[in-house]
Amino acid sequence: MTQPLHQDNSNLSPRPWDVVLGGGTNSPSTAIPKTGDLVLGFMPSEYQKNIFDWLVSGENSCVINAVPGSGKTTTLVKGSTYISRHLKTKFLVFNKHIAQELKNKLPGHISASTIHSLGFSSLLRTFGSSSEIQGNKYNQLVTQYLKNRKISNQNTRKLLIQLVKFVQLTLTDYADKEAIKQLCNHYGIPIVKDWDFWQIAVRRILENGINLIWTTISFEDMIWLPNVLNLPVATADFLCVDEAQDLNKAQLEIVLKAHNQGARGIFVGDVNQAIMGFSAADHCSISHIINRTNAIQLPLSICYRCPLSHIELANKIYPVIQPHPGAIKGKIEKINKKEIPNYARGGDLIICRCFYPLISVYLDLVSSGIPAQVRNRDIGKQLLNLLGLILENENYNIELTPNQFTSKLTNWYEEQKAAMLANEAPTMVIVALHDKINTLNSIYKGNNCSDTASLVESINDLCKVEPIFAVYLTTIHGAKGLEAKRVFHLRPDLVPHSLAKLDWEKQQENNLLFVALTRAKETLFLCK
C-alpha cells in the first residue's frame, strides 16, 4: 500500500494524487524534485492521477493517448518525480533543443537525450570513439559514386541523396528493387524508371557507408546502423518517449531494442494526430508499440487549449476530447479569404491543407504592409528541387511569360503523373506533387516574374525571418505542435481531400482536419 507523503521513508514516492509543493535535490526521498520543479498548487486531473499512479505502482509499459492541448509535456515532467531515484531513467525526444529544455525541468537523476544519441552510443560502444560525425557523409558518397560513373546530372544527385535517406529511415531492404520502387511511390520521391540503376546505386552507396563506420558516422547512421547491424543499445530501467505517433521505423526499432533489453516504457502520443507519414514517419507506430510491448493504454483527454465550440467541431471527427472546467465558448467565424488582410494581426496563424492557396494570401498581406512569414521550414528547398527537375539541365535564368511558364509546368506534370500512375503510385502522392506545381505557378504569377531567376528569388523571400509579431502561414502539416489565439483555416473544403480513397489515406485526411480544428485558443476563422 502506498504511504502518505508526510511519512519519513526514503524508499517511498508520494501518493500520485497528492499535491507536491516543492523540494530540493538534496532530499533522500526518491520523489522530491529539484527546488521549483513543480509549480506550487499543481492539482492533477483524474487522468493525470491515473498516470502518476501507474508510474508509482504499475508494471511493464504504458501508452498515453494524449489529445491536443492536454499538457502532455507537463504531465511527463510532473510524473517524472514519481519515478524511483533508483531506476535509471531516460527521456527520449526528437531534437537537442527539446532535450536541453527537459534537462532544465527534470529531476537531476533523470537524463534527457535524442533517440539518435541512444543509437550513437550503441555505435561508440561497438566501434570506439574514433569515428567523426559527418552530416554530409552520404552526400559525399553519392557525389563520388556518380563521378566515378561520369554522371554529372544534379537532379540525379539530389534524387539519389533523398532516396538513400528514406531507405535508411524506413529500414527498407536496399537489395530489394521492388521495395525501393514501393518506397518511392509511397513517399512521392519523383523516380519513375530505371529501377535497376537506382537499386544498385543505393546498395553500393550504403555498403560504402557501412565500410566507413570506423571513420565517419552520419546522423542517419545513428539510427540505421544499430538496426541493420543488429547492435544492442544502451540499457535503461525506464524510458519516456514523447510524440510516439511520429517515430519513423528506424527510431521505433531503436526504442524497441531498449525495451526488449528489459526497459519499461511510457510512450506518449496521439494516433489521431499522426500526420507526418509523408516525411518517413510510421503512421502505425503507436499500434506497433502496443502490440510489441503489451502496453496498457491510459487516456489524457482534457484539453486546456481549445474553446468549447472548437472542441465540439473536433469531436465530430474523433469524440475523444473533454474541455477543461474553465474553457471559454470561443468564436467560429466564416469569412472570405480576400478579407483576411482586414482581420489578420501579428501572432495570428493561417493554415491550409495545401500550400498553393497560402501564396495569394501571403502576397495580399505583404502588399497591405502586414509582416508575414511562411513557417514550413523546408518548402523553399522542396520547390527549388522541383524546379530543377522541371528545368532539367537548363539554367535558372530562362525568360518565360506567365502563360509559357504555366505550359511548361503542365507538360512536365502530365508526363510525371502518367508515369506515376503506371507505377501505381498512391493518388495522394500525385495530389502532393500537383500542390507544389500549383505553388510554383502561384509564386511566378503572383510576383509578376518574367524569368526563372526572379522566381528563385521570390521562393527564397518566402522563408525570410520576419519580426516576432508577424502573421504566420503554414500547411496543416507544418502547424503540428503550434497554437495561436486566432487561427485562420484557409480553404477548409480541401480537407478531408476528396481524392483520398485508401483507408490509410482517409485516416490521414481526418487527422489533418482534427489537427486544424485544435490549434486556436480563442477564435477560429473559416476562410472560403
Side-chain angles (χ1 to χ4, degrees):
M1 180 176 178
T2 308
Q3 299 298 314
L5 176 60
H6 62 265
Q7 285 198 347
D8 184 15
N9 190 324
S10 62
N11 292 321
L12 294 176
S13 300
R15 295 185 305 173
W17 49 87
D18 285 325
V19 178
V20 182
L21 300 181
T25 55
N26 295 325
S27 169
S29 170
T30 61
I32 298 298
K34 297 182 292 184
T35 301
D37 186 70
L38 290 184
V39 178
L40 184 68
F42 168 72
M43 181 63 69
S45 70
E46 290 301 316
Y47 297 109
Q48 290 169 323
K49 290 176 185 177
N50 291 336
I51 293 168
F52 297 162
D53 191 27
W54 181 85
L55 287 168
V56 171
S57 58
E59 297 179 349
N60 301 321
S61 292
C62 177
V63 166
I64 306 300
N65 297 309
V67 303
S70 58
K72 58 186 178 62
T73 300
T74 298
T75 302
L76 282 176
V77 171
K78 305 296 185 185
S80 68
T81 62
Y82 299 108
I83 301 174
S84 171
R85 190 177 295 270
H86 301 304
L87 296 178
K88 183 179 179 182
T89 302
K90 184 181 289 289
F91 271 62
L92 296 177
V93 295
F94 274 84
N95 60 58
K96 287 184 178 180
H97 175 71
I98 297 175
Q100 187 55 53
E101 284 189 340
L102 276 174
K103 286 178 183 178
N104 296 331
K105 298 176 181 179
L106 293 170
H109 64 285
I110 297 179
S111 65
S113 63
T114 64
I115 299 174
H116 280 70
S117 70
L118 187 63
F120 184 47
S121 64
S122 172
L123 297 177
L124 290 180
R125 285 196 311 276
T126 305
F127 299 101
S129 58
S130 60
S131 297
E132 174 187 351
I133 297 176
Q134 189 175 42
N136 64 346
K137 171 182 174 178
Y138 287 95
N139 292 25
Q140 293 183 3
L141 287 174
V142 167
T143 300
Q144 189 61 48
Y145 179 86
L146 295 176
K147 182 179 179 181
N148 291 344
R149 287 151 184 81
K150 296 182 171 52
I151 300 173
S152 59
N153 187 291
Q154 285 301 302
N155 290 328
T156 301
R157 176 180 175 275
K158 291 176 182 178
L159 287 174
L160 191 50
I161 290 172
Q162 184 182 12
L163 181 55
V164 167
K165 180 178 180 178
F166 269 75
V167 167
Q168 290 179 293
L169 298 182
T170 60
L171 300 183
T172 298
D173 182 359
Y174 57 73
D176 187 337
K177 181 173 65 177
E178 188 61 30
I180 289 178
K181 180 179 178 181
Q182 291 176 4
L183 175 75
C184 291
N185 286 341
H186 185 79
Y187 292 106
I189 301 173
I191 297 171
V192 295
K193 59 183 179 180
D194 301 326
W195 296 108
D196 285 333
F197 165 79
W198 296 104
Q199 185 270 316
I200 292 171
V202 169
R203 179 172 185 167
R204 295 282 162 74
I205 290 163
L206 288 175
E207 286 175 348
N208 288 341
I210 293 174
N211 292 334
L212 291 173
I213 194 171
W214 298 97
T215 57
T216 58
I217 294 173
S218 75
F219 294 108
E220 288 76 24
D221 280 340
M222 294 178 187
I223 54 176
W224 179 64
L225 286 173
N227 281 302
V228 296
L229 300 179
N230 196 27
L231 304 177
V233 299
T235 58
D237 299 312
F238 203 96
L239 295 175
C240 302
V241 182
D242 197 6
E243 301 291 358
Q245 78 280 346
D246 291 334
L247 297 176
N248 59 49
K249 189 171 183 180
Q251 291 172 321
L252 176 61
E253 293 302 324
I254 290 289
V255 171
L256 291 177
K257 273 178 175 287
H259 182 274
N260 292 340
Q261 291 167 201
R264 291 175 63 201
I266 184 167
F267 305 90
V268 184
D270 183 4
V271 293
N272 301 325
Q273 295 185 76
I275 62 173
M276 308 305 288
F278 72 98
S279 62
D282 181 352
H283 66 277
C284 295
S285 62
I286 288 184
S287 63
H288 291 322
I289 290 169
I290 293 170
N291 292 335
R292 293 173 61 180
T293 66
N294 293 318
I296 68 165
Q297 298 182 65
L298 292 175
L300 192 59
S301 301
I302 297 176
C303 176
Y304 297 92
R305 174 196 299 154
C306 300
L308 295 171
S309 56
H310 303 186
I311 290 175
E312 183 179 353
L313 276 183
N315 277 342
K316 290 180 180 179
I317 309 168
Y318 300 120
V320 293
I321 305 177
Q322 294 181 19
H324 72 93
I328 62 174
K329 180 174 177 56
K331 295 181 180 179
I332 299 174
E333 297 187 28
K334 294 182 179 181
I335 64 173
N336 188 284
K337 70 172 186 175
K338 291 294 184 183
E339 299 179 84
I340 292 178
N342 299 330
Y343 284 82
R345 56 178 183 245
D348 287 347
L349 181 65
I350 301 175
I351 61 177
C352 187
R353 164 63 178 83
C354 298
F355 197 88
Y356 73 87
L358 293 169
I359 298 301
S360 61
V361 175
Y362 169 83
L363 295 173
D364 287 345
L365 291 171
V366 172
S367 64
S368 300
I370 301 173
Q373 182 181 341
V374 172
R375 285 293 300 261
N376 294 73
R377 292 178 299 174
D378 296 330
I379 189 62
K381 181 180 178 181
Q382 292 175 23
L383 293 175
L384 291 175
N385 285 343
L386 177 59
L387 183 61
L389 290 173
I390 295 168
L391 299 179
E392 296 180 340
N393 292 323
E394 301 177 42
N395 59 45
Y396 280 128
N397 194 19
I398 307 168
E399 293 186 1
L400 295 167
T401 66
N403 287 339
Q404 287 174 329
F405 185 69
T406 299
S407 178
K408 192 173 189 67
L409 290 178
T410 301
N411 291 338
W412 184 88
Y413 169 73
E414 290 299 333
E415 290 180 6
Q416 193 74 8
K417 176 183 175 182
M420 294 170 76
L421 288 172
N423 283 320
E424 300 180 345
T427 301
M428 297 312 294
V429 170
I430 300 175
V431 167
L433 177 62
H434 186 257
D435 180 24
K436 291 187 178 70
I437 292 292
N438 280 339
T439 300
L440 285 174
N441 204 34
S442 297
I443 296 172
Y444 198 90
K445 291 184 174 181
N447 286 280
N448 298 315
C449 297
S450 59
D451 54 47
T452 50
S454 58
L455 173 61
V456 171
E457 184 178 349
S458 296
I459 291 172
N460 290 329
D461 285 343
L462 276 178
C463 301
K464 283 185 177 178
V465 177
E466 291 291 338
I468 192 169
F469 291 113
V471 175
Y472 299 106
L473 301 94
T474 180
T475 60
I476 300 173
H477 287 101
K480 177 74 189 308
L482 300 181
E483 62 179 25
K485 287 185 178 180
R486 294 156 31 105
V487 174
F488 296 77
H489 184 188
L490 182 60
R491 292 288 307 274
D493 57 296
L494 291 175
V495 59
H497 202 287
S498 60
L499 293 178
K501 303 300 182 186
L502 302 177
D503 288 343
W504 71 268
E505 291 176 335
K506 292 178 181 179
Q507 182 178 358
Q508 287 274 294
E509 291 298 309
N510 284 331
N511 290 358
L512 282 169
L513 182 56
F514 188 70
V515 169
L517 296 175
T518 54
R519 299 305 97 193
K521 296 192 286 186
E522 293 180 3
T523 305
L524 177 64
F525 295 92
L526 303 178
C527 313
K528 296 185 177 180

